[in-house]
Amino acid sequence: MHITAVSPMGGIALATSPSERLALEAEALGWFSRKRDTVETKMWYLPAIKAAGFDLQGLRDHGPQLLALRDWLQKTPTPTEPEYDLDLSQRDYQRPGAGLLRENEGAILADDVGLGKTIMSATVMGRRLLDGGSGIIVTTLGTKMQWREEIEDNIMSSCRPTIYMSQGTKAQRYQTYQEWSRGGPRPLLLLHHDSMRRDVEKLIEVTKVARLRHPTLTFNIDEASVIRNSESKGWAAAIRIGANVTHRIALTATPLENGLEDLWSIVTWVRPGYLGPKDNFDRRHIERVWIQPRYGQGFWKVLKYKHIGEIRPAIRRIYLRRTAGEVKLSMPKIVTVVRSLEMGTRQRALYERIKRDKAESRIGPKEALAMLRQVCNDPTTIGEKGESPKLDEIEEICQQWLRAEKVIFFTDYRKFAVKIMERIRRWKPILIASGVTTQERDHARRMFQKDPNTRCLVMTSAGERGLNLQAGSILVNCELPWNPAKYRQRVGRIFRMDSLNDCIRIFNLMMHNTVEDKVAAALGFKQDLFDKVIDTVTEDDVRDTLTMTTTQALALA
């Protein structure tokens, strides 16, 4: 690698007394604390320091390690970014991301949506494949083909991997796994999250075989927030399969969706034990309260989070996140428009009736919440009569914008997606939702991206992660999601570095004086938590606790 001579702590004399030594230790600690926050230190100083035999854990405390580190840094040039054998035409800001993944056995790349996490991880996997390794990429059902296209476009000519696609029946998938584990050269397996969970026993078997045949086995989980629940079968499957690999990569723009437990789960998969046992983590950072409703089982609810400022420093060595602003990347301008709509007479009467039923315990709180949100969309989706101002607004948006722009409508509810399709059928919309096959989903994506006459796409949560839809310039949230991670994922479908538009518009449809007002409040609360734990902040910006209670966040209008 090339090096540039730098003496970051030159001119500091050795201590001759205990007091001078303490002063020098404090100065050294201050320098290192500031310097290690830079991308340069994360990527290149720390590996060099570790290779020189310094105890990185010991550097957190004042002591002889700091003085020895100071002297070593005076004599040691600063490494610059490593060269890559793969010519992937990466942007400058993408090289540190690739460096993080390359230099760690397990790491999280959490750059904001649209910054090219796929190509950064492909760089690292391509290098390891060239060195005789093998790889697994786990992604969403709708993005498997998109991943294959990225590989073919970016590393096929340099690396020429043998790609194995998991699909079809159980017998067909198992045959693919066997061929991958014994095949080659440079075998790369693509499968989706559900297959990882369903086929865990077979995948454990074949990864053991692959590990014997190859010096490295890289396990890359795209959209890694799907393993955020440490009690889920998906997380358990990832942990068990991960025990057979040499390197783990987690790609996600949203490592924290609902609470700090999400981050613990992903970090623990990447580097088991890094944040300690879950019980210890919970006691340190989460305060819960027991809720016992009149009917049904009791449950624990998060009351507040504590000591948030400790978390980001604890994971900085295996974690990297940048936003478009931080990397000075030219991105489209975002214009957000909130359309606050008034309910119709029959719609409001139905809404109030459901609230009364909930208050009198005739229906449970979760059922009531789901019904209220669907009534805000269209009462007919729950078998009732009533107006739908949202459908009227959606039709008006199509009339105003579809001649010149491409529009995406997002909804959490498939029944409402069908209603939207019926209302705007004259514009020939296409649908991506549950029940749509992988081939149909990929066809819909290609049509929206490349066909100038396909101008309208209706999507449920089945399409909110991973799909590149930068041909779109308008996104309509028919209802706001509960957490900012889902909101970011939706916006990230069109807000990308390779967007085809200079300006994108986000329309948020909300019914006035309803539960949707409270959803917006809860969304802001969770975004506040995300910003303090995940995005770059200083210690002075971090409050030790967040005190908004679950009851306040989720109270019904």
Side-chain angles (χ1 to χ4, degrees), residues 91 93 112-116 323-334 491-492 494-499 501-504:
R91 298 170 186 246
Y93 78 87
D112 213 349
V113 289
L115 298 189
T323 64
E326 289 172 334
V327 300
K328 297 180 174 57
L329 185 65
S330 177
M331 298 287 279
K333 177 184 177 183
I334 295 181
V491 174
I494 61 176
F495 182 67
R496 311 190 70 82
M497 63 179 179
D498 48 358
S499 174
N501 305 282
D502 295 329
C503 177
I504 63 174

Side-chain angles (χ1 to χ4, degrees), residues 442-496:
D442 189 59
H443 176 71
R445 178 183 66 86
R446 289 173 179 269
M447 289 289 290
F448 186 78
Q449 284 287 88
K450 298 179 180 180
D451 181 9
N453 297 317
T454 301
R455 312 199 67 79
C456 186
L457 176 62
V458 180
M459 304 178 74
T460 66
S461 57
E464 69 188 7
R465 292 183 184 273
L467 289 179
N468 295 342
L469 299 168
Q470 55 267 48
S473 59
I474 295 177
L475 185 145
V476 181
N477 286 303
C478 298
E479 66 280 320
L480 289 175
W482 274 111
N483 63 61
K486 290 189 69 173
Y487 187 88
R488 286 174 180 238
Q489 287 286 352
R490 289 181 177 184
V491 174
R493 299 315 100 222
I494 61 176
F495 182 67
R496 311 190 70 82

Side-chain angles (χ1 to χ4, degrees), residues 66-86:
L66 289 170
L67 291 177
L69 172 64
R70 182 207 62 198
D71 295 337
W72 178 79
L73 287 170
Q74 284 182 309
K75 304 171 185 177
T76 304
T78 304
T80 61
E81 68 179 57
E83 294 183 349
Y84 289 82
D85 294 328
L86 292 174

Side-chain angles (χ1 to χ4, degrees), residues 336-354:
T336 302
V337 179
V338 177
R339 294 285 174 88
S340 184
L341 309 173
E342 294 292 340
M343 279 189 163
T345 304
R346 287 184 295 177
Q347 188 181 22
R348 174 61 71 178
L350 175 61
Y351 185 90
E352 297 299 328
R353 190 186 82 197
I354 294 172

Side-chain angles (χ1 to χ4, degrees), residues 49-346:
I49 290 168
K50 187 175 180 181
F54 288 97
D55 176 14
L56 295 179
Q57 190 70 22
L59 295 176
R60 295 182 180 180
D61 304 318
H62 294 192
Q65 279 276 320
L66 289 170
L67 291 177
L69 172 64
R70 182 207 62 198
D71 295 337
W72 178 79
L73 287 170
Q74 284 182 309
K75 304 171 185 177
T76 304
T78 304
T80 61
E81 68 179 57
E83 294 183 349
Y84 289 82
D85 294 328
L86 292 174
D87 180 16
L88 298 178
S89 301
Q90 290 182 316
R91 298 170 186 246
D92 289 342
Y93 78 87
Q94 291 178 327
R95 292 186 178 273
L100 173 80
L101 302 181
R102 189 197 62 185
E103 297 295 340
N104 284 278
E105 293 179 358
I108 302 169
L109 184 56
D111 282 349
D112 213 349
V113 289
L115 298 189
K117 293 184 291 295
T118 299
I119 190 61
M120 287 183 254
S121 65
T123 304
V124 176
M125 296 192 75
R127 177 66 268 172
R128 291 184 185 143
L129 290 172
L130 277 174
D131 291 339
S134 61
I136 304 173
I137 297 172
V138 181
T139 186
T140 63
L141 183 62
T143 58
K144 274 201 310 179
M145 289 303 300
Q146 187 171 287
W147 259 95
R148 180 165 191 154
E149 291 173 6
E150 291 280 1
I151 292 168
E152 291 174 346
D153 291 344
N154 292 292
I155 70 171
M156 183 61 78
S157 60
S158 300
C159 176
R160 297 192 181 279
T162 305
I163 301 175
Y164 297 86
M165 297 282 289
S166 167
Q167 55 192 358
T169 65
K170 180 178 179 180
Q172 290 171 329
R173 296 196 307 272
Y174 278 26
Q175 180 63 30
T176 300
Y177 302 152
Q178 290 280 19
E179 292 173 357
W180 165 78
S181 68
R182 302 179 184 279
R186 296 174 288 281
L188 183 61
L189 175 63
L190 282 172
L191 67 153
H192 64 86
H193 300 106
D194 287 344
S195 294
M196 178 183 70
R197 176 179 51 82
R198 289 197 308 259
D199 302 338
V200 57
E201 300 299 336
K202 186 64 176 179
L203 287 167
I204 291 172
E205 175 190 323
V206 298
T207 50
K208 288 179 180 178
V209 175
R211 183 65 187 89
L212 293 173
R213 294 170 58 88
H214 301 277
T216 61
L217 172 51
T218 303
F219 190 11
N220 182 353
I221 298 186
D222 186 23
E223 303 299 342
S225 59
V226 299
I227 59 168
R228 67 185 180 274
N229 182 359
S230 61
E231 297 180 0
S232 68
K233 292 182 179 179
W235 185 82
I239 288 287
R240 295 179 65 198
I241 298 167
N244 297 331
V245 308
T246 59
H247 298 83
R248 302 176 186 87
I249 294 173
L251 305 179
T252 175
T254 54
L256 189 155
E257 292 198 8
N258 294 311
L260 293 181
E261 308 95 313
D262 301 352
L263 188 61
W264 181 91
S265 299
I266 297 173
V267 171
T268 299
W269 174 74
V270 166
R271 297 288 288 271
Y274 205 79
L275 291 179
K278 189 172 188 300
D279 289 345
N280 293 355
F281 182 84
D282 285 0
R283 281 194 296 270
R284 178 64 179 166
H285 296 293
I286 305 172
E287 185 173 323
R288 291 183 171 89
V289 61
W290 179 258
I291 303 296
Q292 181 60 61
R294 183 187 303 179
Y295 303 102
Q297 295 180 342
F299 55 92
W300 289 100
K301 281 289 186 181
V302 173
L303 182 63
K304 61 183 179 181
Y305 296 106
K306 306 177 293 183
H307 312 299
I308 295 174
E310 298 174 357
I311 296 174
R312 186 176 176 88
I315 63 174
R316 59 162 45 96
R317 296 171 187 164
I318 62 167
Y319 170 89
L320 181 63
R321 174 177 175 80
R322 285 84 51 84
T323 64
E326 289 172 334
V327 300
K328 297 180 174 57
L329 185 65
S330 177
M331 298 287 279
K333 177 184 177 183
I334 295 181
V335 176
T336 302
V337 179
V338 177
R339 294 285 174 88
S340 184
L341 309 173
E342 294 292 340
M343 279 189 163
T345 304
R346 287 184 295 177

